[in-house]
Amino acid sequence: MSTTHDPAPEETPAWRDTTLTPEARADALIAAMTLREKTAQLIGVWVAAGEGGDEVAPYQHEMEEPPELDALLPHGLGQLTRPFGTAPVDPALGALSLLRTQRRIAAANRFGIPALAHEECLAGFAAWGATAYPVPLSWGATFNPELVRAMATAIGRDLRAVGVHQGLAPVLDVVRDARWGRVEETIGEDPYLVGTVATAYVQGLESAGVVATLKHFAGYSASRAGRNLAPVSMGPRERADVILPPFEMAVREGRPRSVMHAYTDTDGMPSAADEALLTGLLRDTWGFAGTLVADYFGIAFLKALHGVAEDWSDAAALALGSGVDVELPTVKTFGQPLLDAVAAGTVPERLIDRALHRVLVQKAQLGLLDPGWDPVPDVLADTDLSDPEALRGLVDLDQPANRALAAELAEQAVVLVRNDGLLPLHRPARIALIGPNADEPTAVLGCYSFPVHVGSQHPKMPLGIELPTLREALAAEFTGSELWTVDGVSVDGEDASGIAEAVRVARQADVVVLALGDRAGLFGRGTSGEGCDAESLDLPGRQRELLDALLDCGTPLVVTLLAGRPYALGRAVTEAGAIVQCFFPGEAGTQALAGVLSGRVNPSGRLPVSIPAHPGAQPSTYLAARLAQASGVSSTDPTPAFGFGHGLGYDEFSWSGLVPETVEAGTDGEFRLAFELRNAGDRAGSEVVQLYLHDPVASVVQPVQRLVGYRRIELAAGAGCRVSLTLPADLASFTGREGHRIVEPGGLELRISASSTDARFTVPLSLTGPVRPLDHTRRLHPTFALREL
């Protein structure tokens, strides 16, 4: 007699078991994979979203042959590169295209694993129709990490809503030479400002469920002469005390899940091949546990540009062994060349397993390994996916809440640099708006905004968002004024024949608003942006001649700048009625600028980079030692026209009542001080309290001063507050002679300031006790306590 048994239910693989830790699930999946399946998870493919909602196809980059997708997918795929950020596509159709491709990827490999999709999001989601926020240099100008955190949260929500998992931002490079084209992408020239603002961005993006990516690790901004990808010559102390602290802070406090290596080599060591940096410091010391991704083609550059790898297999071995986990944007060295290296015995399989474990842990955390994984993003839930045309226009990536955030950021980022009483303008009858950025919609955008980065290659495609020009914004702001507009010159052209007409118009006006600045672009197609480095900090083209001609004509002059870097402004520093600096302020930027000119907006931005007095004074920042400042032994003077942290408003704040409560402390102690701050003006306003330390005698050369804390304080007209400060001795630490961070006993000077050039209180401090070694667990911030008066 035989007995029939029902077949046992199929057991769920351990890597699908959501009750296990992501680490355990990753280990189980690795054990089941072939070598080819393992390496497939370590690569990306550059894709372009289909306008009709078709599956995405490999993007033919000018440096690469497109991979055969049908040959790759049976083994799996690690990442999809920029499905929205490669060509203009309606957001709903892009989301549909992405989900169809994800289904194809999952169906093609035996484990059903989808890819992780990443996008650029430096100044907003780099997609057609998405909000264009101010560039990071404007974030720095706000001195407002909380607002930047809110912006990043909104960006993250938009990314996740359409199916994107990772954002390639923020940039934590500290400006070392303002001639560098990518200054617009940085937050400023001070590591503490960069660290605090970037950490807030990371926290916002990660809170929305999107993987934040710190870049470029490390030293990219310190390239010689400000040239993109040029070698870096800094020593280990500058690297430790200027370049690395923002990354350290963001890793500790932001908890990002990805880091991108830099292109550059420092003292002959390319970042992509620097095991001491990528593994020893980042992982073993700081405890970073996420993925380390290659900057685009950065692994191949080990052979092609740096000359430290003999072939693609050698490049793959160097990068993988140093700690790079994922090759972006597309497969080059981590494909067959890596397999060949394993077969040849030059790369142990355990290194592949190490990188794969990090990748799969991240995919598990994102839900991509869950049994119920569904590629349908939130924006397409409950829609008919069979009718793409019905979806067109369904998704709005520039919603009113986004636009309100963009406007608030832009308003807080406008820096009133100089004002002899001309601003705010009092209903002038005739305004002459002159300059190359007077009537240019994209003058407010940086090079990684979608309309500039991608849209410029598709001139017949609409911009996708509203970008009012400065002419339009002024017309709306000054409805009772007659507005005349003349270019005078182009941004970087050599034709100066229009200057005479500009002067003629200016003489008939009551006030001139001069719109100078940059045109963002890539690799020489602009005056600011990646690969758009400057030989000097003189205004591009013939703009300086236009400026001088208008200064000579005698009409009151407001100089405005929509730019990606600071420029030397010559006579305007002392002769212009007002100077207003904007760093590519985004889609609401011209309205914010117009509001400052009219007085509707009380300016509160502060300079995140110094404005030079002379165009040839680079490289120089405020963060300089004594011998880097003006002296009698050099004929060049790097003293800025306007220093880091400077900014004016239409209010007046009084600082008084300093109480130095604790001014002597051990090297493991803390100082306590308090003072009163009052808005003595007749309207609400903001002051940025900035704390600088000066160390007059140290065992190694120190900058004359460095920012160790700040707080943006908003007060109503006539209101005041008591500001209580606590500064731990850790803030006085630096890298000593032996290469380790220490706090030394001795005298210090605390400058409680309105800017790096405007100390309101100078307080002598004293540290006592032994030299104290510190590590990455040290205290990073002072504390501010505010009490209303």
Side-chain angles (χ1 to χ4, degrees):
M1 180 178 179
S2 62
T3 303
T4 302
H5 297 282
D6 292 332
E10 187 174 338
E11 186 176 351
T12 301
W15 57 272
R16 289 283 196 197
D17 187 350
T18 57
T19 67
L20 298 178
T21 66
E23 291 76 13
R25 296 170 68 187
D27 287 338
L29 187 51
I30 291 171
M33 284 179 149
T34 66
L35 180 61
R36 183 76 179 270
E37 288 169 333
K38 291 177 179 180
T39 58
Q41 291 297 319
L42 308 184
I43 60 172
V45 171
W46 200 331
V47 298
E51 170 59 24
D54 295 332
E55 293 175 353
V56 292
Y59 181 70
Q60 175 82 49
H61 189 272
E62 61 185 12
M63 289 180 60
E64 296 297 312
E65 290 297 322
E68 290 292 335
L69 205 56
D70 287 337
L72 290 176
L73 293 190
H75 306 285
L77 182 63
Q79 292 216 13
L80 288 169
T81 292
R82 295 170 62 178
F84 290 87
T86 300
V89 61
D90 176 89
L93 298 184
L96 176 62
S97 176
L98 178 56
L99 83 86
R100 287 177 172 176
T101 299
Q102 288 282 43
R103 283 177 173 167
R104 179 183 174 191
I105 293 168
N109 70 83
R110 66 190 179 105
F111 299 107
I113 306 172
L116 185 152
H118 77 256
E119 288 287 353
E120 296 285 359
C121 57
L122 185 71
F125 182 6
W128 187 82
T131 305
Y133 294 96
V135 297
L137 202 56
S138 274
W139 311 348
T142 70
F143 276 71
N144 191 342
E146 291 76 18
L147 187 57
V148 172
R149 185 182 298 110
M151 175 199 68
T153 301
I155 294 171
R157 282 197 298 261
D158 286 342
L159 289 165
R160 286 299 283 138
V162 296
V164 176
H165 308 100
Q166 180 170 1
L168 301 187
V171 169
L172 290 89
D173 298 306
V174 179
V175 175
R176 303 302 286 158
D177 189 328
R179 294 174 297 180
W180 190 46
R182 303 189 78 168
V183 165
E184 64 175 66
E185 300 178 45
T186 73
I187 293 166
E189 68 184 34
D190 180 85
Y192 186 80
L193 178 66
V194 172
T196 50
V197 173
T199 296
Y201 182 98
V202 170
Q203 292 167 341
L205 205 66
E206 289 281 356
S207 74
V210 172
V211 176
T213 310
L214 311 184
K215 61 184 189 182
H216 306 88
F217 193 64
Y220 187 26
S221 59
S223 56
R224 292 178 191 162
R227 294 180 59 247
N228 194 39
L229 267 69
V232 174
S233 301
M234 66 182 169
R237 187 166 289 102
E238 180 182 354
R239 189 188 215 188
D241 288 351
V242 178
I243 299 298
L244 294 176
F247 290 95
E248 180 184 5
M249 185 185 296
V251 167
R252 280 181 55 182
E253 299 179 355
R255 302 184 67 81
R257 286 178 284 174
S258 194
V259 171
M260 175 180 281
H261 75 72
Y263 283 134
T264 40
D265 60 78
T266 300
D267 193 27
M269 177 63 74
S271 294
D274 191 344
E275 184 178 6
L277 176 70
L278 304 184
T279 298
L281 179 65
L282 179 64
R283 295 191 184 279
D284 297 344
T285 300
W286 292 352
F288 174 72
T291 57
L292 203 150
V293 301
D295 203 346
Y296 285 13
F297 305 104
I299 302 176
F301 287 168
L302 294 176
K303 171 184 180 294
L305 298 183
H306 296 292
V308 297
E310 185 173 355
D311 53 29
W312 303 129
S313 293
D314 195 15
L318 274 173
L320 189 68
S322 298
V324 180
D325 301 316
V326 180
E327 181 175 32
L328 298 179
T330 199
V331 57
K332 179 67 176 179
T333 69
F334 275 16
Q336 190 60 46
L338 181 55
L339 294 172
D340 293 343
V342 174
T346 56
V347 172
E349 190 170 346
R350 61 176 174 78
L351 290 182
I352 292 174
D353 290 348
R354 181 180 72 173
L356 177 60
H357 182 268
R358 297 163 183 159
V359 168
L360 295 180
V361 164
Q362 199 162 92
K363 287 194 171 185
Q365 292 170 340
L366 292 166
L368 299 181
L369 304 186
D370 292 354
W373 171 79
D374 184 354
V376 178
D378 293 345
V379 295
L380 297 184
D382 304 319
T383 62
D384 181 3
L385 302 180
S386 65
D387 185 2
E389 283 306 309
L391 299 177
R392 189 182 295 274
L394 176 68
V395 177
D396 184 3
L397 296 178
D398 190 29
Q399 298 181 43
N402 287 11
R403 295 198 296 273
L405 260 177
E408 187 175 5
L409 270 158
E411 290 176 358
Q412 292 193 15
V414 177
V415 185
L416 178 58
V417 175
R418 170 179 164 79
N419 187 19
D420 68 358
L422 179 58
L423 295 182
L425 299 176
H426 299 288
R427 300 180 181 178
R430 299 175 300 275
I431 301 173
L433 174 60
I434 297 172
N437 281 335
D439 204 21
E440 173 53 56
T442 58
V444 294
L445 302 180
C447 78
Y448 268 82
S449 66
F450 187 87
V452 172
H453 198 75
V454 178
S456 59
Q457 303 173 42
H458 302 268
K460 295 182 179 180
M461 190 75 177
L463 290 173
I465 53 176
E466 293 184 10
L467 291 174
T469 68
L470 185 55
R471 178 187 62 79
E472 293 168 336
L474 289 181
E477 194 76 29
F478 295 93
T479 54
S481 301
E482 190 174 358
L483 182 64
W484 306 324
T485 304
V486 180
D487 286 348
V489 299
S490 65
V491 168
D492 58 347
E494 290 302 314
D495 184 3
S497 61
I499 293 179
E501 173 66 9
V503 170
R504 185 189 68 79
V505 171
R507 285 177 173 153
Q508 301 176 51
D510 298 307
V511 66
V512 174
V513 175
L514 179 57
L516 304 176
D518 280 316
R519 182 185 69 255
L522 290 166
F523 307 113
R525 297 191 293 272
T527 60
S528 175
E530 185 173 2
C532 296
D533 311 315
E535 293 182 0
S536 81
L537 294 184
D538 208 347
L539 287 162
R542 309 295 286 273
Q543 294 184 63
R544 178 68 171 272
E545 293 175 45
L546 175 63
L547 170 59
D548 288 345
L550 293 174
L551 286 169
D552 288 338
C553 83
T555 304
L557 177 65
V558 180
V559 178
T560 70
L561 295 113
L562 296 167
R565 64 163 66 84
Y567 285 106
L569 301 175
R571 293 164 50 200
V573 169
T574 56
E575 297 181 30
I579 300 173
V580 184
Q581 175 75 64
C582 300
F583 296 109
F584 290 145
E587 64 181 44
T590 57
Q591 294 155 321
L593 175 53
V596 167
L597 299 186
S598 73
R600 173 177 56 83
V601 175
N602 189 359
S604 60
R606 302 293 186 266
L607 289 175
V609 286
S610 305
I611 292 179
H614 307 289
Q618 291 294 306
S620 63
T621 73
Y622 99 96
L623 198 66
R626 296 176 203 181
L627 288 177
Q629 300 188 333
S631 72
V633 297
S634 174
S635 58
T636 62
D637 184 355
T639 304
F642 303 99
F644 172 84
H646 169 75
L648 307 174
Y650 297 146
D651 43 43
E652 183 178 345
F653 281 79
S654 64
W655 305 50
S656 63
L658 175 68
V659 179
E661 298 171 1
T662 305
V663 294
E664 182 176 313
T667 51
D668 59 352
E670 56 188 24
F671 304 105
R672 297 180 185 275
L673 307 94
F675 67 96
E676 293 182 2
L677 183 70
R678 185 173 296 277
N679 182 353
D682 58 3
R683 62 186 297 175
S686 300
E687 181 65 283
V688 179
V689 175
Q690 303 167 41
L691 307 180
Y692 296 89
L693 272 184
H694 168 59
D695 191 344
V697 180
S699 58
V700 297
V701 174
Q702 291 292 288
V704 171
Q705 60 178 340
R706 56 189 175 92
L707 185 72
V708 295
Y710 64 87
R711 178 71 176 267
R712 181 186 176 100
I713 300 174
E714 299 179 0
L715 291 174
C721 67
R722 180 180 176 82
V723 182
S724 297
L725 306 172
T726 303
L727 286 83
D730 294 19
L731 301 185
S733 67
F734 57 87
T735 301
R737 293 190 175 195
E738 304 302 319
H740 305 297
R741 184 169 288 275
I742 58 172
V743 178
E744 288 184 339
L748 297 172
E749 188 176 276
L750 174 65
R751 299 171 181 177
I752 305 174
S753 306
S755 78
S756 63
T757 57
D758 184 9
R760 299 302 175 91
F761 303 114
T762 299
V763 185
L765 305 175
S766 178
L767 285 168
T768 61
V771 173
R772 176 169 161 251
L774 289 178
D775 61 16
H776 62 285
T777 64
R778 69 189 184 281
R779 296 169 69 180
L780 300 177
H781 308 284
T783 59
F784 287 77
L786 307 183
R787 180 172 60 83
E788 185 178 347
L789 294 176

